[in-house]
Amino acid sequence: MTTVLECRALTRTYPGDVQALVDVGLEVAAGEFVAILGRSGSGKSTLLNLLGTLDRPTSGSVLIDGVDVTTMSDRELSGVRAQKIGFVFQQFHLSPLVSVLDNVAEGLLYAGVRHAERRRRAAVVLERLGLGHRLSYRPHLLSGGERQRVAIARAVVGDPAVLLADEPTGNLDSVNSAAVVALLRELAVTGTAVVVITHDHEVAAAMGRQIELRDGRVVTNAAAGPR
Amino acid sequence: MSRLAGTDLVRLAGRGARGHPVRFLLSALGIGIGVAAMVAVAGITQSSKAELSNLLEALGTNVLKVYPTADLRGRPSMLPRTAAPMLGSIGPVTAVSGLTVLQSEAAYRSPYVPSGQTSSVLVTSVSTDLLATLRGQVADGHWFTATEQRYPAVVLGWAAARRLGVDAPGLRLWMHQQWWVVVGVLRPLPLAPELDSSVLVGGSAAQDYLGADGTLSAVYLRVPEDQLGPVERVVPPTASPEHPELVGVSRPSDALAAKLVADATLNRLLLGLAAIGLLVGGIGVSNTMIIAALERRPEIGLRRALGATRGQIAAQFLAESLVMATAGGVLGVLLGDLVTVVYAQVQGWPLSLPLWVSGAAVLLTVLVGAVAGLYPAVKACRVPPTEALSST
Ligand SMILES: Nc1ncnc2c1ncn2[C@@H]1O[C@H](COP(=O)(O)OP(=O)(O)O)[C@@H](O)[C@H]1O
Ligand SMILES: [Mg+2]
C-alpha cells in the first residue's frame, strides 16, 4: 500500500517549554485504519493538528501524499486541507442555521466546487452513509450519532486521501460509537487513510493499528486486534 | 487557491444575518437612521428649492420696484403723482402700478375700538391693475371691480385679514369715521410682502373719501428681462425729474433668489449632523462584527480546517459587514424618502426626489460597511486553524 501520511522526527514545543510532542515518526498507508491512544495531555491532539496541517511543528516534517508540507505557505496549506484532508471533531461543529445537506456541502466550499454541484455530491454522500432521509433536517433535530455521521459526511464529501478524527465518539453512547466506528472502517476500506484519536481501548481495539503516546512520545506502534 | 464565488459570499453573509437577526437589524437600523436623516435633508432641500424656483417662474423675475428714498435730512419722501404715467411711458415697460401708504389712516373692526389699537395693519391705496402687475392671487372674494374702487370697499392682504380677524369677505371695517366693506382677501404676495399686512383701498376711493393727494410710496414695473438694465438706468430721472437722487430701484425677486442660497448653509449643517449619525451607525456595525469575530472562533477554525484561506475568512466577515450596512442604507433611503414625501405633501410643495441622492446614500453605506468591517475581518482571519480542535 502507498504511504499517504507520514511524519519524521516531529517535535512540537509550546511556549513555556511544554514539550507536547517529541521526535515522533510514523507512516500511514492508504486504506489503513489507525487509532491514536494515550492519556489526556499525552500529545494526541497536538499530533493530529500537525498531521492535519492546522499547526506547524517546532522541528521535523509532515508529508501528505508524498509532498512535504512543512515549508508551505499558509495559503498552500489551506489548499492541501481543502483537497486532501478531512476532519471530524468531538463536538461535530455543525451549523444550526442550515440543513444537513448544506452542512455537508460546506465541505466542498473551499475546494472551488460550484454551489449546485456541492449539493449534488453532498446528497450522494449522505445517501451512501444512510442519511438520505435527513437531507432537509436542521442538525439539532438529529441524534448525536446521526450528527456525527453528518460531520463525517462533510469530512469525506471532497474524497480526501486522509481522514483525521479527534475523539469522534467522545460524545456518543456505546451503540452510536460502534456505528460511527463501523462507518469509519468502511471509509478506510474504500482507500482513505483514517486516523482516529480515542482514549477508549475498546474502540481502539476495533482498528487495524494502535499508536500509543505517552508524554509526547510514541510508546506503542503495533498492528493488533481484528482487521 | 480557488476564490469564493460572489454568490457564495452573499450566501455566507446572509447566514450571518440569520444567526443573530435582532443584532443584525439593530446594527442596520443604526446606519439606516443616519442615512434616513441625510436623504430627508437632501430631499426636503430639493423639494423646497423646486418650490422656490416654481414660485420665481410663476411670478417672473422681471419686476422692478421704484420707491422714494429718505432725503438728506433723513425725512421720508414721496414720489410725485406723475411718476406712474411717466414710468409707463418708458418704451419697454409693459405694466405700471402705483401705491400709496396712507400713514394717517387706520382700520378697525368696530367704531368702539380705541383709536391707536391698529393691530399693526397699514392702509394702502392701490391702482386696480396692481394685482395683475404683481401676478397676485385672491384667496377669497374678489379684487376691486371698476366701480368698487370708487366706493368704500377694501381688499385685505393675507396677514392683515388674520390680524383683523376677518375670515370671509362681506364683513365691514371702520375707517375714517365710516364703514368699508371687505370684498376680498389676497394670498401672500411674495413680490410685495409689505402689502400682505395692508388694508387695500382703490385709488379713486382714497382720493374721494380719505383725501389722498395722489403722491406715491412705490411703483411696480414689469419690464422684459433683457431690458431690465437700461430701464433701471432711466427710472430715477423719469420718476422724479426734479429729484432723481431721491429715487431707489430694486428687484423684489432678488430676495426670493437669495433665499435659495441662504438655505444652503443651514442644509450643510443638517447634512453634517446626519453624517455624524451615519458614522455612529458605522461604529455600531463594526462593534457587532468584532463581537461576531470573537464569538465565532470555533466556526472560523472549522472553516480553516475545511480549507478556507485567511483571505476567504476575511472576505466572509467583510461581506457580512457590507450586507449589514447596505441593508441599513436601503432601509434609510426608504425612510428618508418617506419623510420627504410626507413633508412635501404637508407643505404643499412639489415633490423632488432626485435618484442620485438615494444612489449616493446607498453607495456611501457600502463604503461605511467596508470600513466598518475591515478591523473585524482582519481579527477573524487571524484566528488560528487549530481553534476548531482546541475546544476538545
Ligand atoms: N496551545 C497550547 N499552548 C500551550 N500548551 C499546550 C497547548 N496545547 C496543548 N498544550 C499542552 O501540550 C500537552 C499535550 O496536549 P494535547 O496535545 O492537547 O494532549 P491530548 O490531546 O492528548 O490530551 C499538554 O500538556 C497541554 O497542556
Ligand atoms: Mg485532545
Side-chain angles (χ1 to χ4, degrees):
Chain A
M1 278 295 220
T2 49
T3 300
V4 290
L5 182 61
E6 184 181 354
C7 65
R8 297 173 187 157
L10 209 54
T11 296
R12 179 65 166 100
T13 310
Y14 286 116
D17 224 18
V18 181
Q19 300 238 315
L21 219 57
V22 184
D23 195 26
V24 170
L26 53 86
E27 290 181 19
V28 182
E32 254 198 295
F33 192 24
V34 178
I36 296 178
L37 282 153
R39 266 189 259 124
S40 179
S42 57
K44 306 184 296 294
S45 295
T46 301
L47 177 60
L48 206 76
N49 278 335
L50 292 174
L51 293 179
T53 77
L54 297 175
D55 193 13
R56 292 177 186 277
T58 309
S59 64
S61 54
V62 174
L63 285 78
I64 290 164
D65 247 358
V67 181
D68 191 342
V69 300
T70 1
T71 54
M72 283 188 177
S73 70
D74 190 76
R75 209 176 154 76
E76 288 170 320
L77 290 180
S78 297
V80 169
R81 293 196 288 271
Q83 304 290 342
K84 307 233 154 142
I85 305 172
F87 290 93
V88 176
F89 311 98
Q90 182 176 348
Q91 65 277 67
F92 322 138
H93 285 314
L94 298 174
S95 167
L97 296 170
V98 296
S99 67
V100 161
L101 182 69
D102 284 320
N103 264 289
V104 173
E106 205 89 332
L108 291 168
L109 178 59
Y110 303 103
V113 182
R114 297 186 68 93
H115 183 62
E117 175 66 6
R118 292 202 297 269
R119 301 190 84 196
R120 196 189 64 75
R121 282 165 67 177
V124 169
V125 168
L126 281 163
E127 206 73 56
R128 203 177 76 201
L129 301 197
L131 290 161
H133 58 302
R134 296 287 196 232
L135 300 187
S136 58
Y137 279 56
R138 292 292 170 89
H140 60 272
L141 296 174
L142 306 185
S143 73
E146 280 179 319
R147 279 188 233 183
Q148 194 56 298
R149 274 150 66 201
V150 172
I152 292 171
R154 179 180 60 197
V156 299
V157 68
D159 202 14
V162 178
L163 181 65
L164 303 175
D166 195 352
E167 311 247 12
T169 60
N171 283 343
L172 303 180
D173 60 32
S174 56
V175 176
N176 276 311
S177 286
V180 163
V181 172
L183 175 55
L184 291 171
R185 186 205 315 276
E186 273 173 46
L187 293 171
V189 169
T190 60
T192 313
V194 181
V195 178
V196 180
I197 289 180
T198 180
H199 53 241
D200 185 335
H201 281 269
E202 210 173 309
V203 168
M207 302 184 198
R209 178 148 60 112
Q210 286 80 31
I211 296 170
E212 193 176 351
L213 291 180
R214 192 174 300 155
D215 296 333
R217 293 169 200 272
V218 177
V219 290
T220 323
N221 187 349
R227 173 73 223 250
Chain B
M1 273 322 96
S2 58
R3 291 180 48 210
L4 284 180
T7 47
D8 287 333
L9 271 178
V10 171
R11 216 172 278 125
L12 285 176
R15 206 186 296 172
R18 271 190 292 143
H20 285 282
V22 175
R23 202 190 272 181
F24 176 86
L25 268 179
L26 288 178
S27 304
L29 196 65
I31 292 263
I33 288 170
V35 170
M38 291 185 105
V39 169
V41 168
I44 288 171
T45 306
Q46 288 297 322
S47 297
S48 90
K49 269 190 187 159
E51 162 72 3
L52 260 178
S53 42
N54 281 2
L55 190 65
L56 277 174
E57 179 98 9
L59 297 173
T61 53
N62 58 343
V63 169
L64 291 179
K65 180 185 182 183
V66 182
Y67 56 93
T69 56
D71 67 12
L72 280 175
R73 294 189 197 145
R75 287 178 309 197
S77 63
M78 296 294 277
L79 296 175
R81 51 193 306 169
T82 53
M86 290 297 283
L87 288 168
S89 68
I90 299 175
V93 171
T94 56
V96 189
S97 304
L99 58 88
T100 308
V101 178
L102 305 171
Q103 299 288 358
S104 55
E105 300 299 339
Y108 306 94
R109 278 299 300 271
S110 85
Y112 309 112
V113 177
S115 66
Q117 283 190 13
T118 58
S119 327
S120 52
V121 167
L122 296 172
V123 178
T124 305
S125 110
V126 297
S127 66
T128 41
D129 48 14
L130 180 74
L131 194 68
T133 303
L134 294 177
R135 292 189 191 157
Q137 287 177 332
V138 177
D140 213 348
H142 57 267
W143 182 246
F144 299 107
T145 60
T147 13
E148 274 164 356
Q149 70 115 1
R150 278 188 258 115
Y151 290 101
V154 296
V155 170
L156 302 185
W158 174 79
R162 298 205 155 189
R163 289 186 198 155
L164 290 166
V166 176
D167 43 17
L171 286 170
R172 296 180 305 173
L173 293 179
W174 185 256
M175 187 162 79
H176 206 90
Q177 303 306 315
Q178 77 176 92
W179 287 108
W180 296 65
V181 65
V182 177
V183 298
V185 176
L186 299 182
R187 287 188 199 281
L189 296 168
L191 289 179
E194 70 274 17
L195 292 182
D196 288 340
S197 51
S198 276
V199 172
L200 307 182
V201 179
S204 305
Q207 285 183 12
D208 297 349
Y209 294 89
L210 305 174
D213 64 1
T215 58
L216 299 165
S217 356
V219 178
Y220 286 94
L221 307 178
R222 214 169 259 278
V223 182
E225 199 87 31
D226 55 342
Q227 301 291 322
L228 278 167
V231 168
E232 219 170 309
R233 256 172 272 126
V234 300
V235 157
T238 313
S240 178
E242 288 164 34
H243 294 289
E245 77 281 5
L246 295 183
V247 178
V249 186
S250 71
R251 200 170 159 188
S253 58
D254 284 352
L256 291 177
K259 241 174 111 178
L260 275 175
V261 183
D263 283 354
T265 319
L266 178 67
N267 289 326
R268 231 171 286 139
L269 186 74
L270 287 173
L271 272 181
L273 285 175
I276 291 173
L278 184 59
L279 182 74
V280 172
I283 291 171
V285 167
S286 200
N287 192 34
T288 302
M289 291 310 300
I290 289 171
I291 291 171
L294 290 174
E295 276 181 357
R296 284 159 57 185
R297 289 174 70 91
E299 178 201 324
I300 297 167
L302 168 74
R303 292 186 182 283
R304 294 303 315 269
L306 292 178
T309 61
R310 281 199 197 117
Q312 286 169 331
I313 297 294
Q316 179 185 343
F317 275 75
L318 205 57
E320 277 187 37
S321 173
L322 281 175
V323 164
M324 201 179 277
T326 310
V330 170
L331 189 81
V333 164
L334 293 178
L335 218 66
D337 282 350
L338 185 74
V339 168
T340 308
V341 168
V342 170
Y343 195 87
Q345 189 86 44
V346 168
Q347 297 286 320
W349 291 347
L351 183 62
S352 174
L353 279 181
L355 205 62
W356 70 265
V357 169
S358 303
V362 172
L363 274 182
L364 191 62
T365 55
V366 170
L367 196 72
V368 167
V371 173
L374 214 55
Y375 177 69
V378 167
K379 214 169 163 54
C381 82
R382 289 204 177 137
V383 170
T386 50
E387 197 66 29
L389 275 173
S390 69
S391 37
T392 315

